Amino acid sequence: VGFIQFCIDEVCTLSHVRNPLPKTEHSLTLWDKTPKHLKSQTPSRGAIAVWQFYREGKPTMQGHVGLVNNFTPTTFFSIEANTSSGTGISREGDGVYMRMRSRKSTDSFKLLGFIQIWA
C-alpha cells in the first residue's frame, strides 16, 4: 500500500488536489476506511484494485493492492509493488511489476473491488 499511497500523493501534489485516501499501510484498512462512493466492482484506469488473502477458506488480515493500467471484460493489468515478475500470487516479491490479473477471485485471493480515486 505504501507504494500506491506514494504514487497517489505525487499525482495529488502535482495536480494541487487533496488525496482522498485514508492514510494507512494496510490493504484491508485502506478498503474499509475508503468512502463508499469511491468503491466499485468495475475497474477503470487509475483505480486501485484491492485483494484479500484467504487461508483454508477463511479470510485473513492480509491483502494486496495494485494500480489499474488497462482492463478487459475478464482481466486487468495492474502495477504492483512487493510482487514478482512471474505468474501466480506473490505478496512479498522483489520489485514493482505490471501484472495481468483475473477479475475472478480464487480460493486464496479474493478481489474486494476497486477504489475509483479520480471519479
Side-chain angles (χ1 to χ4, degrees), residues 4-52:
I4 298 298
Q5 288 275 20
F6 170 78
C7 293
I8 301 304
D9 276 342
E10 288 294 301
V11 171
C12 288
T13 298
L14 292 171
S15 303
H16 305 288
V17 297
R18 185 184 68 81
N19 184 342
L21 297 177
K23 299 297 180 204
T24 181
E25 295 288 325
H26 186 249
S27 304
L28 302 181
T29 301
L30 176 67
W31 180 256
D32 290 341
K33 291 194 174 198
T34 294
K36 188 176 182 176
H37 73 277
L38 296 179
K39 295 178 184 178
S40 175
Q41 293 302 305
T42 306
S44 66
R45 191 175 173 105
I48 300 171
V50 182
W51 293 273
Q52 182 173 18

Side-chain angles (χ1 to χ4, degrees), residues 17-95:
V17 297
R18 185 184 68 81
N19 184 342
L21 297 177
K23 299 297 180 204
T24 181
E25 295 288 325
H26 186 249
S27 304
L28 302 181
T29 301
L30 176 67
W31 180 256
D32 290 341
K33 291 194 174 198
T34 294
K36 188 176 182 176
H37 73 277
L38 296 179
K39 295 178 184 178
S40 175
Q41 293 302 305
T42 306
S44 66
R45 191 175 173 105
I48 300 171
V50 182
W51 293 273
Q52 182 173 18
F53 287 95
Y54 279 66
R55 186 173 291 117
E56 298 177 6
K58 296 179 182 169
T60 70
M61 291 303 296
Q62 295 178 327
H64 189 66
V65 297
L67 191 61
V68 176
N69 185 358
N70 206 348
F71 56 93
T72 72
T74 58
T75 62
F76 61 94
F77 293 86
S78 62
I79 301 166
E80 303 170 24
N82 297 332
T83 193
S84 63
S85 62
T87 61
I89 301 162
S90 176
R91 235 183 114 256
E92 301 299 332
D94 62 359

